[in-house]
Amino acid sequence: MAKLQWGMIGGGEGSQIGPAHRLGAGLDGAFDFAAGALDHRPDVGRDYGQRLGLASDRAYGDWREMLEGEQVREDRIDLVTVATPNATHYEITKAFLEAGFNVLCEKPMTMTVEEGEDIVRTSERTGAICAVNYGYSGYSLVRHMKAMIARGDLGKIRLVKAEFAHGHHADAEDADNPRVRWRYDPAQAGVSAQFADCGIHALHMASFVTGQEVHRLSADTVSCIASRVLEDDAMVNFRMEDGAVGRLWTSSVAIGRQHGLTLQVFGETGGLRWSQEHPNQLYYMPLNGRLQTIERGEANLSPEADRTTRVTIGHAEGMPLAFANIYSDLAEAIRARKENHAMDPAADHYPRAQDGLRSMAAVFAVAESGSKDGTWVDARPPMYR
C-alpha cells in the first residue's frame, strides 16, 4: 500500500511541538514527510527541511509558497499539519481547505468564534477533512474510557472532574521572559491565557470521553501574578447537554504540579480516573465493588484501546504515541475517502473542526463569565444554539 504524503507548516528547529508531530506522523508508516514550510525565516526553513530529508523543491520558504507549489503537483500532499503561532491558524487552515487539502491544525484552531464557524463551514463545503490536535485524546486508555462509558459500564453520567494544572509560570520574576510573557498578552493570546492554553484540553477530554457537549458554564478567573492582564488560574463549573455536572480547574501557578492533566468521571454505577502523567493505568470502581486497575495493553480491552496500543504491557507509552493515534485515525479516514469505503469505527475518533469551534466558544464564555463574577453563560457557538 502506497504511503500517504504529509506536509508540515511551522514546527521548525527548536520548536516544542514539531518533533512530536514528526514522530507521530511517521510512527506507523502511513505517511511520508514530503513537504514543509518549517520556519518564518525562509532560508532557515528551507535549510532545516532539507536536513530532515525533504527534496529541495518541497522545502518551502513560507506557507503561501507551499500552497502554490503543492496545488500543481500530481503527488501533492494528502494532509498538512499547521503548527504555527496561534494567530495564524485560521488564515492558513482556511487557505488549504479551500484548495482541497486535508488539514490537522494545532489548537486553538482559531482566535475567534466567528473564524471557527467559518472553518467548520469551509470544511463541510469543500469536503476536506479538518482535524484539530487535541492530542491527549489519542491515549489508549482515554479511548478505553470513552468505550466503557459508551457501552454503559458507568450507567448515566452524573459528574465529571477535569484538571490541567502546572506550576511552570509561577515565578513572578519571569514576567518579562518572552516565552512566558506572550501567553498573558491579549494582543498575542486573545481573551484568555491559561484556560485557552491548557483548560480547553481538559474540557475537550470531558466531552470526548462522555460524548456530551458543554451547554453552559460559570467561571472564576484570576491573575495570581498581578502584572498579568490575562488569567493564570481558573475554576470553571459547567453543565453538559445530557445532564452531567462538570468541574474544571486549570492553573499555571500550581507549584509542584508538572503537567497535571487528569480526568475523573462518575456515573450511577461506577467511576473512572486517569492521569496523563501515569497513562498506563486507568482506575475503575464499580458501585459497591472493589477498585480495579486497568493496564494499557492487557487482554480483553475495547477495540478502541487495542487499536491504539503499540508496545507490550508494562512499558510506557507517551505523548508522541498519542499523537500517532490521531495520525493513524486520519490515515484511515483519508484512505476511506480515497477508496470510497467506510472507515473502521474504532478509528473514527480524531478531533474535528467542530471540536475546535466548541473550544473557542468555551474560551470566550469563560472570559465573559470571569469578567462578570461567575455569571452563568451559554458556552455553545451560535451555530449550535
Side-chain angles (χ1 to χ4, degrees):
M1 183 183 295
K3 290 186 178 183
L4 298 169
Q5 300 276 291
W6 173 63
M8 188 174 194
I9 302 169
E13 191 166 18
S15 78
Q16 178 182 2
I17 206 69
H21 276 286
R22 288 188 286 274
L23 287 168
L27 190 64
D28 294 316
F31 291 100
D32 260 340
F33 182 32
L38 304 179
D39 199 287
H40 68 280
R41 297 161 295 180
D43 290 342
V44 173
R46 290 191 188 99
D47 175 70
Y48 186 52
Q50 291 179 67
R51 282 191 280 127
L52 291 175
L54 296 180
S56 59
D57 64 334
R58 301 183 83 178
Y60 297 101
D62 60 47
W63 69 265
R64 291 181 176 86
E65 181 183 305
M66 180 170 165
L67 177 59
E68 182 179 348
E70 290 298 309
Q71 281 187 98
V72 299
R73 297 184 67 99
E74 291 186 6
D75 62 345
R76 72 187 224 161
I77 52 175
D78 297 288
L79 175 70
V80 60
T81 293
V82 178
T84 54
N86 296 355
T88 67
H89 290 177
Y90 168 69
E91 181 183 18
I92 299 172
T93 296
K94 182 176 173 63
F96 275 83
L97 289 174
E98 290 282 9
F101 290 95
N102 301 308
V103 178
L104 171 60
C105 183
E106 262 300 331
K107 49 69 56 181
M109 183 177 74
T110 62
M111 296 293 285
T112 70
V113 177
E114 293 77 15
E115 290 175 348
E117 292 188 333
D118 187 34
I119 291 294
V120 169
R121 293 191 176 102
T122 301
S123 177
E124 292 172 346
R125 173 171 49 80
T126 62
I129 292 170
C130 184
V132 183
N133 191 42
Y134 291 108
Y136 305 114
S137 65
Y139 277 100
S140 179
L141 289 182
V142 172
R143 299 288 177 95
H144 190 60
M145 287 182 80
K146 181 178 179 68
M148 289 181 68
I149 291 167
R151 71 191 184 197
D153 290 5
L154 274 62
K156 182 176 174 61
I157 301 304
R158 292 170 170 167
L159 177 64
V160 182
K161 184 173 184 291
E163 293 185 4
F164 198 154
H166 65 82
H168 300 301
H169 299 163
D171 188 350
E173 298 302 314
D174 264 348
D176 290 325
N177 181 339
R179 295 178 66 87
V180 175
R181 185 179 61 227
W182 75 267
R183 298 176 185 274
Y184 303 93
D185 177 5
Q188 299 180 73
V191 299
S192 170
Q194 179 59 19
F195 184 80
D197 187 29
C198 295
I200 58 173
H201 276 297
L203 195 70
H204 174 262
M205 290 274 278
S207 291
F208 179 77
V209 302
T210 63
Q212 298 186 40
E213 300 296 346
V214 175
H215 183 273
R216 57 197 182 98
L217 60 79
S218 167
D220 180 18
T221 59
V222 63
S223 299
C224 292
I225 294 179
S227 62
R228 290 174 176 162
V229 177
L230 299 176
E231 88 288 348
D232 51 26
D233 188 278
M235 183 68 75
V236 181
N237 293 314
F238 58 92
R239 300 290 186 270
M240 307 187 88
E241 289 179 332
D242 293 337
V245 173
R247 316 287 190 211
L248 187 155
W249 172 49
T250 186
S251 183
S252 64
V253 294
I255 296 173
R257 296 290 291 266
Q258 294 301 323
H259 189 269
L261 178 59
T262 63
L263 186 67
Q264 299 177 77
V265 183
F266 306 100
E268 293 176 334
T269 60
L272 289 167
R273 173 168 52 90
W274 179 85
S275 170
Q276 193 266 345
E277 291 183 48
H278 304 280
N280 274 16
Q281 289 78 40
L282 172 63
Y283 298 97
Y284 171 48
M285 173 72 90
L287 182 66
N288 299 321
R290 293 190 176 189
L291 181 65
Q292 302 175 23
T293 302
I294 298 170
E295 292 281 348
R296 184 209 49 77
E298 70 181 42
N300 302 314
L301 295 185
S302 61
E304 291 84 351
D306 290 341
R307 183 183 180 278
T308 51
T309 190
R310 292 177 178 77
V311 298
T312 54
I313 189 169
H315 295 83
E317 288 192 358
M319 184 186 76
L321 278 79
F323 280 30
N325 289 330
I326 303 293
Y327 279 100
S328 180
D329 292 347
L330 287 167
E332 171 75 16
I334 292 167
R335 290 195 190 281
R337 292 187 178 203
K338 280 176 170 279
E339 299 163 10
N340 196 29
H341 63 75
M343 68 181 296
D344 179 355
D348 195 10
H349 294 297
Y350 62 88
R352 267 76 164 173
Q354 290 86 347
D355 298 302
L357 168 60
R358 289 184 183 276
S359 292
M360 187 48 54
V363 166
F364 277 83
V366 165
E368 178 185 354
S369 177
S371 70
K372 297 178 178 177
D373 294 327
T375 297
W376 284 87
V377 299
D378 197 323
R380 298 169 299 174
M383 70 185 292
Y384 294 149
R385 294 181 185 178

